Amino acid sequence: MVDTFSVESRLHIREFDEGRDVKVVGKLERKCEIGTKKGVSIFTNMMADPSSRIRFYPLHVMLVAELLESKELVGVVRGCIKSLRTPSESLLKIGCILGLRVSPSHRRKGIGLKLVTSVEEWMLRNGAEYAFLATEKNNDASRNLFTNKCKYVSLSSLFIFVHPISFPAKQISKDIEIEKVNIDQAISLYRRTLMAKELYPLDMDSILKENLSLGTWVSYYKEGGLLNLQRKEESEDIITNEITSSWIIFSIWNTCEAYKLQLKKSQPLRFLHTTLNHARDKIFPCLRMSVSDSLCRPLGFLFLYGLHGEGENLGELMESIWRFTSRMGESLKDCTVVITELGFGDPLVNHIPQTASMSCIDDIWYTKRISSHSDEKDDELLIKRQIGNVFVDPRDF
């Protein structure tokens, strides 16, 4: 039985204080990743900045759970707010829950539930209509907390694809062109292609302009025609005058600059509840490295986002994108793998390269309405329940 009353009466939920909490939170998060048997574990190196995953959002918060008597920090949670649009042009203000941790010695005492409730209250005060989170399919503890105790419902199933960077990267077919577009061109293209998604962010321009976004490219067949991305007039949007029969647009996010993955001796590989908890347990097996070579070595990765394809011959184009990104990763310090995440209904799922070194992890998105301003019968998000084709925001990964 969970003893929530005694803990809650001795617990204080407050905002993270960067001046005094940085080292303590870092220690807490490392403690949360400790297993019970000997072996090797993998954890996130947050680069001494626990807020690195939420700084991209104007509205964000980091809450800590502190015991009143001892002042010990026993839990932490992050939250941010962003605006999304649906195909029906509905505007949704959503709060995202990221990085919930509770000290192993204080679990099953209601602290996690208290942190979730507190961050939901912060979201509601800041105008959010929904709360949202992601967790791996096999994380029974998280699923129990959010579905049974917090009343979240499944919103979408997704696939995380992880592929190690090969040295040297394989050559791209001579029949394929990969053309970089400038930010204005990328914004114009995404303004059109995002309409195919069932959920997408309103601030795509902000994402593309972040320092961690390395750029946007279009992959297409040379013989299919030229890709014309020129501006017709200064007052008009950039358009594609001529488009090839098959093409894919994609952008690359350099997470190496925000945080890295790192192995730690004496603990087993297991599902870890961290900012990247839903992907990291499968990254190490696909690296094809020996444990001795990997210990204490930071593992960075590139994240493919904004993937959208049109045409019938997308398989070879998708393979060229992975090779192109892998080649880019060769020049980045500590970059080890390339990762992307796609919804189960995204047509490009069927064109991911099927190689022995490609790993796939099941991910689940959950949501819950936290505001009571609209009739649930008209609730577009909850009525549909399973959304298949979504934009995966690199800031949340």
Side-chain angles (χ1 to χ4, degrees):
M1 181 176 178
V2 177
D3 183 8
T4 59
F5 177 77
S6 60
V7 172
E8 286 192 20
S9 64
R10 298 182 288 111
L11 193 67
H12 175 50
I13 305 295
R14 61 171 176 81
E15 288 198 24
F16 170 79
D17 184 320
E18 191 165 1
R20 58 173 169 154
D21 295 335
V22 169
K23 292 183 179 180
V24 180
V25 168
K27 183 178 179 180
L28 167 65
E29 294 191 315
R30 289 191 295 273
K31 187 188 301 182
C32 289
E33 296 153 359
I34 292 177
T36 57
K37 299 179 181 179
K38 294 183 178 181
V40 176
S41 66
I42 186 168
F43 64 95
T44 301
N45 182 341
M46 299 292 285
M47 316 290 278
D49 182 8
S51 300
S52 62
R53 304 308 299 150
I54 55 176
R55 290 190 187 278
F56 303 109
Y57 297 98
L59 276 176
H60 64 265
V61 73
M62 187 169 174
L63 302 177
V64 295
E66 182 181 59
L67 296 180
L68 289 173
E69 293 181 2
S70 64
K71 303 300 180 182
E72 178 186 1
L73 295 190
V74 293
V76 62
V77 69
R78 299 163 177 84
C80 60
I81 294 178
K82 60 182 177 180
S83 295
L84 303 179
R85 192 180 293 280
T86 69
S88 67
E89 296 298 308
S90 297
L91 179 61
L92 306 176
K93 199 169 184 181
I94 291 184
C96 300
I97 297 177
L98 302 167
L100 173 65
R101 324 271 194 276
V102 176
S103 172
S105 60
H106 291 82
R107 289 175 182 167
R108 296 188 59 79
K109 297 180 179 180
I111 296 174
L113 180 60
K114 184 68 175 177
L115 282 166
V116 171
T117 302
S118 298
V119 77
E120 286 177 350
E121 291 172 351
W122 173 85
M123 292 172 179
L124 188 59
R125 289 195 302 271
N126 285 277
E129 303 166 82
Y130 299 89
F132 164 94
L133 63 101
T135 187
E136 71 276 348
K137 185 177 181 179
N138 293 332
N139 190 341
D140 294 332
S142 290
R143 293 175 65 188
N144 177 63
L145 170 63
F146 289 109
T147 60
N148 295 338
K149 297 180 180 179
C150 300
K151 308 305 179 184
Y152 282 73
V153 297
S154 174
L155 178 66
S156 183
S157 297
L158 301 94
F159 303 107
I160 300 171
F161 297 97
V162 184
H163 194 278
I165 288 176
S166 57
F167 296 93
K170 294 182 179 179
Q171 294 296 315
I172 298 170
S173 170
K174 295 180 180 179
D175 298 327
I176 293 175
E177 183 75 29
I178 296 183
E179 180 178 344
K180 187 171 185 178
V181 299
N182 62 44
I183 288 181
D184 289 334
Q185 292 169 335
I187 292 172
S188 178
L189 280 169
Y190 277 123
R191 188 176 294 126
R192 178 169 68 84
T193 58
L194 285 177
M195 294 298 291
K197 303 292 185 181
E198 294 175 81
L199 276 180
Y200 59 92
L202 289 184
D203 62 342
M204 188 65 183
D205 56 336
S206 297
I207 299 174
L208 295 171
K209 292 175 182 177
E210 282 289 349
N211 291 333
L212 298 187
S213 188
L214 300 182
T216 300
W217 292 261
V218 177
S219 177
Y220 61 94
Y221 294 100
K222 294 178 182 178
E223 65 178 14
L226 298 175
L227 186 67
N228 192 332
L229 295 168
Q230 303 303 315
R231 184 184 295 273
K232 292 180 67 179
E233 293 182 12
E234 196 65 29
S235 60
E236 293 185 11
D237 287 338
I238 297 165
I239 63 173
T240 54
N241 294 327
E242 300 174 38
I243 199 71
T244 57
S245 58
S246 297
W247 59 282
I248 299 177
I249 184 174
F250 65 99
S251 299
I252 300 176
W253 188 267
N254 182 16
T255 60
C256 301
E257 298 300 321
Y259 62 88
K260 294 183 175 69
L261 310 179
Q262 198 163 356
L263 301 179
K264 184 176 181 181
K265 195 173 181 179
S266 80
Q267 303 302 334
L269 284 172
R270 58 193 295 269
F271 286 106
L272 302 172
H273 313 302
T274 65
T275 303
L276 198 58
N277 64 345
H278 56 296
R280 296 177 304 146
D281 64 296
K282 288 293 183 71
I283 291 177
F284 179 66
C286 82
L287 294 180
R288 305 293 192 266
M289 296 181 186
S290 68
V291 172
S292 59
D293 290 340
S294 304
L295 287 174
C296 301
R297 172 182 171 184
L299 308 176
F301 65 95
L302 295 177
F303 185 72
L304 283 167
Y305 74 97
L307 286 159
H308 173 84
E310 294 184 11
E312 297 180 356
N313 302 316
L314 300 179
E316 194 173 357
L317 292 178
M318 183 63 86
E319 187 173 336
S320 74
I321 291 171
W322 284 89
R323 291 182 178 183
F324 175 85
T325 309
S326 182
R327 181 177 298 174
M328 181 177 292
E330 289 181 352
S331 63
L332 298 174
K333 184 180 179 181
D334 302 325
C335 191
T336 308
V337 293
V338 177
I339 302 177
T340 194
E341 183 170 17
L342 300 173
F344 74 91
D346 193 316
L348 289 180
V349 166
N350 299 320
H351 300 287
I352 294 293
Q354 300 299 311
T355 64
S357 53
M358 181 71 75
S359 294
C360 180
I361 306 104
D362 293 328
D363 199 28
I364 301 179
W365 285 5
Y366 291 96
T367 191
K368 166 178 136 176
R369 172 170 278 281
I370 56 177
S371 70
S372 56
H373 297 308
S374 66
D375 190 336
E376 190 171 333
K377 294 181 180 179
D378 300 323
D379 197 318
E380 178 183 356
L381 195 60
L382 294 180
I383 286 177
K384 192 165 185 179
R385 294 293 289 271
Q386 283 298 309
I387 295 177
N389 190 1
V390 297
F391 176 88
V392 178
D393 196 324
R395 299 170 295 185
D396 297 340
F397 195 83

